[in-house]
Amino acid sequence: MIFNYYVKAMSSVGGVCTLDKFKELVQSPDVKRICATIANLPPDASVTLASLKKTLPVITWQASFEGSRKNVNARPSGLFMLDVDHVANVDELWEKSVKDRVNELGIMFVCKTPSGHGMRIVAKCCPEFSTIEDCQNWLGQELQLPIDEVCKDFARCSFVSC
């Protein structure tokens, strides 16, 4: 499983996201500061939220890329991500819906989104499904969670959060 990280979402060149690089990114004082700022924004601050998120590093869980981050250059990682937005209590969602099914469902990574009001779930692709979208729909149904349907292409990135 190889996937990339990028210093910012609009960066054209990324690197392989090793475990050490991942730890460096999530433990970065800048990432912690930006996530804390995002988490404390009022609900109507969408413009500020978007501009702050653009300053965070990103990971492309679903693929690595030879050259620019475009679907045509994607080398699938064997993983897919599921974004669950607008969650009132992420910790409760983890405890009630996800925690006990991690191994059964091939879940590899779970985190809160930078706002603290969403959950990102990264899981192994299911061999019985041919697309990321099919895998996402299956996992969403298994966990009885509404999903962000816009994250179905290989080039889709995920903002790093702490």
Side-chain angles (χ1 to χ4, degrees), residues 19-145:
L19 181 57
D20 287 340
K21 177 50 82 172
F22 177 77
K23 289 177 181 178
E24 177 187 319
L25 292 171
V26 299
Q27 295 171 355
S28 159
D30 286 339
V31 168
K32 289 179 180 184
R33 179 184 51 75
I34 295 165
C35 287
T37 302
I38 289 171
N40 290 310
L41 288 173
D44 62 343
S46 60
V47 172
T48 305
L49 172 64
S51 62
L52 282 169
K53 283 170 69 173
K54 288 178 183 177
T55 65
L56 287 168
V58 297
I59 296 176
T60 56
W61 293 107
Q62 299 173 149
S64 61
F65 297 86
E66 186 68 39
S68 60
R69 184 170 53 100
K70 295 180 181 177
N71 285 317
V72 68
N73 297 330
R75 293 177 294 197
S77 67
L79 301 174
F80 70 97
M81 68 178 182
L82 186 71
D83 264 347
V84 184
D85 295 325
H86 312 293
V87 177
N89 188 325
V90 175
D91 295 329
E92 183 179 302
L93 176 62
W94 162 255
E95 288 294 327
K96 288 185 175 180
S97 299
V98 181
K99 179 181 170 182
D100 293 334
R101 301 196 65 199
V102 167
N103 291 331
E104 169 196 354
L105 299 175
I107 296 172
M108 304 296 290
F109 177 73
V110 178
C111 70
K112 291 180 183 179
T113 58
S115 70
H117 300 292
M119 180 182 279
R120 182 156 306 107
I121 302 171
V122 179
K124 293 178 187 175
C125 289
C126 309
E128 62 268 30
F129 301 120
S130 59
T131 67
I132 290 172
E133 184 176 18
D134 290 342
C135 290
Q136 292 170 331
N137 288 330
W138 167 79
L139 187 57
Q141 289 172 356
E142 283 291 320
L143 295 172
Q144 298 180 342
L145 297 174

